[in-house]
Amino acid sequence: AADQQERNSVAEAESFPLYRPIQGSDLASNAKRAAFGWVGTYGNEFNDDWVDDMKQAFPNKGKPLILMCASGGSMEAKPGAATGFQSRSLKAVYYLKKAGYKNVYHLE
């Protein structure tokens, strides 16, 4: 959300949320919203436009990009997290590398 971004942002950083509020008003979208609402959370889904938005904003796939999110994330094995702690920013690194970006870094 915008307030989360403001609290956790770095000066001059740009925000490209990997997840967005559930789109659409079809039965499946409404069912997802209801399920999230029932457990008391706001429903989000993967932003299908995210990679294309990144390609448009950062067409130079060799330029260094540093990604971060509020939960951090780590690929380090720790007690209770043998394969690390997954986060939105780590997922974003994966999608960018898959899209051909070479210098993508994760800020823990």
Side-chain angles (χ1 to χ4, degrees):
D3 61 328
Q4 180 187 35
Q5 179 195 350
E6 190 174 309
R7 284 193 315 271
N8 300 308
S9 66
V10 174
E12 298 181 34
E14 296 184 50
S15 178
F16 292 87
L18 188 60
Y19 291 87
R20 64 181 177 203
I22 296 170
Q23 307 291 298
S25 57
D26 57 279
L27 181 60
S29 298
N30 288 332
K32 280 194 258 182
R33 271 193 216 85
F36 277 105
W38 194 58
V39 295
T41 63
Y42 188 74
N44 289 315
E45 64 185 4
F46 181 76
N47 180 357
D48 292 325
D49 300 323
W50 188 81
V51 172
D52 289 335
D53 291 345
M54 294 297 289
K55 285 178 181 178
Q56 184 175 1
F58 305 101
N60 181 351
K61 293 184 177 183
K63 182 178 180 177
L65 293 174
I66 301 171
L67 307 181
M68 64 174 275
C69 68
S71 61
S74 173
M75 294 179 70
E76 254 181 68
K78 296 179 181 179
T83 59
F85 174 72
Q86 189 179 67
S87 67
R88 294 168 291 195
S89 54
L90 280 174
K91 289 178 184 179
V93 168
Y94 167 78
Y95 290 119
L96 286 175
K97 287 192 177 244
K98 191 174 172 184
Y101 285 82
K102 306 292 181 210
N103 297 310
V104 183
Y105 303 94
H106 175 256
L107 183 64
E108 288 189 28

